[in-house]
């Protein structure tokens, strides 16, 4: 890496993690893809939720070229990223009891839909209650989390449970507690987090599995094309018209 040894070490660490989830999570990714395909084929809707930096992976599969048009972001105001001031407020909102229930009750999500909940630690009240309440409403819940946190940290939910405990399917990102891949002499804190790389890859892998499953069933996947290729806008206009009752991010 041009003499920048930490950069190369980080990329190597990220590659190793991607290889692990490819090899160790294959069955769970296939199950997630099948669940998504079942919902799309049945006329249901898809939702993705994440708080803080975990929202990046959720956003990555919404309104995305090559992605499923019926995937919608389930957003919690103030918890979507670092756009709120102060940024620490977003972290505080993840610990608020009852917030997830209020968001779900006012959302278009209904029984038979799929909700993907992304939370690296899976220990805070917001993702735990989002999964718990969604299942109570009849949604199928896919959790994308690091299972290591469930044994290496203390839950912040009153039940003492974690996101993984309230999911139909769990995709384990294999990220170590602390989410920092590197250490270096003279640097007091570990650095170079890889959770976004791996979690986004897991999300895209699940979508890819769903597309393959739909195609195998003879169902046309409702995919978006890039608006930067000729004919892309026309294609997307047709898809959005055809699936208008299952798309909520443009209203």
């Amino acid at each position: 890496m041009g003499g920048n040894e930490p950069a190369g070490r980080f990329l190597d660490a990220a590659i190793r993690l991607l290889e692990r989830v490819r090899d160790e999570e294959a069955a769970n990714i296939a199950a997630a893809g099948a669940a998504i395909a079942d919902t799309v084929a049945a006329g249901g809707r898809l939702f993705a939720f994440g708080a803080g930096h975990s929202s990046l992976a959720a956003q990555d599969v919404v309104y995305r070229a090559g992605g499923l048009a019926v995937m919608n972001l389930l957003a919690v105001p103030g918890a979507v990223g670092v756009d709120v001031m102060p940024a620490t407020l977003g972290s505080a909102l993840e610990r608020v009891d009852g917030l997830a229930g209020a968001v779900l009750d006012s959302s278009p999500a209904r029984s038979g839909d799929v909700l993907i909940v992304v939370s690296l630690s899976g220990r805070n009240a917001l993702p735990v209650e989002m999964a718990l309440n969604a299942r109570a409403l009849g949604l199928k819940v896919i959790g994308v989390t690091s299972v290591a946190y469930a044994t290496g940290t203390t839950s912040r939910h009153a039940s003492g449970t974690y996101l993984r405990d309230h999911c139909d399917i769990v995709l384990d990102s294999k990220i170590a507690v602390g989410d920092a891949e590197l250490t270096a002499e003279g640097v007091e804190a570990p650095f170079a987090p890889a959770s976004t790389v791996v979690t986004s890859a897991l999300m895209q892998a699940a979508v890819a599995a769903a597309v393959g499953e739909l195609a195998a069933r003879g169902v046309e996947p409702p995919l978006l094309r890039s608006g930067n290729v000729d004919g892309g806008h026309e294609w997307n206009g047709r898809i959005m018209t055809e699936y208008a009752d299952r798309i909520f991010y443009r209203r």
Side-chain angles (χ1 to χ4, degrees):
M1 286 293 296
N4 195 332
E5 189 256 354
R9 287 171 54 210
F10 170 73
L11 291 172
D12 287 343
I15 290 168
R16 286 193 296 270
L17 284 164
L18 290 171
E19 289 175 338
R20 282 192 66 194
V21 298
R22 179 198 63 197
D23 297 339
E24 298 173 21
E25 294 300 303
N28 292 327
I29 292 169
I36 293 169
D38 288 343
T39 299
V40 172
R45 292 83 58 83
L46 310 173
F47 298 89
F49 162 78
H53 286 92
S54 289
S55 75
L56 295 174
Q59 293 178 59
D60 193 48
V61 294
V62 177
Y63 187 53
R64 183 67 187 264
L68 293 168
V70 294
M71 183 73 75
N72 301 276
L73 184 68
L74 186 63
V76 175
V80 176
V82 293
D83 56 333
V84 64
M85 295 294 180
T88 50
L89 175 60
S91 298
L93 289 173
E94 289 190 63
R95 305 179 190 182
V96 174
D97 294 330
L99 183 56
V103 170
L104 277 170
D105 288 344
S106 61
S107 79
R110 65 189 184 195
S111 179
D113 292 342
V114 162
L115 172 62
I116 305 174
V117 180
V118 186
S119 174
L120 176 62
S121 72
R123 69 189 295 224
N124 290 308
L126 185 54
V128 171
E129 292 184 357
M130 191 67 75
L132 191 157
N133 291 351
R135 289 182 85 187
L137 291 173
L139 281 77
K140 177 156 283 191
V141 177
I142 300 169
V144 184
T145 188
S146 170
V147 172
Y149 275 82
T151 55
T153 66
T154 302
S155 171
R156 288 179 174 145
H157 189 252
S159 67
T161 60
Y162 296 78
L163 169 61
R164 70 166 190 174
D165 299 314
H166 304 286
C167 298
D168 297 286
I169 301 164
V170 175
L171 303 182
D172 182 6
S173 65
K174 316 295 182 182
I175 300 293
V177 175
D179 189 20
E181 295 300 316
L182 303 183
T183 58
E185 186 176 350
V187 180
E188 294 298 321
F191 58 100
S195 60
T196 303
V197 174
V198 179
T199 302
S200 292
L202 278 168
M203 295 286 280
Q204 293 294 351
V207 171
V211 170
E213 182 70 21
L214 287 167
R217 300 179 190 182
V219 178
E220 180 188 357
L223 293 169
L224 295 172
R225 290 178 181 253
S226 172
N228 294 313
V229 300
D230 292 343
H233 287 298
E234 292 76 14
W235 172 281
N236 292 341
R238 176 182 68 82
I239 291 293
M240 288 190 173
T241 298
E242 185 174 346
Y243 296 92
D245 61 332
R246 299 153 72 180
I247 297 172
F248 304 101
Y249 49 78
R250 65 177 186 173
R251 298 180 180 180

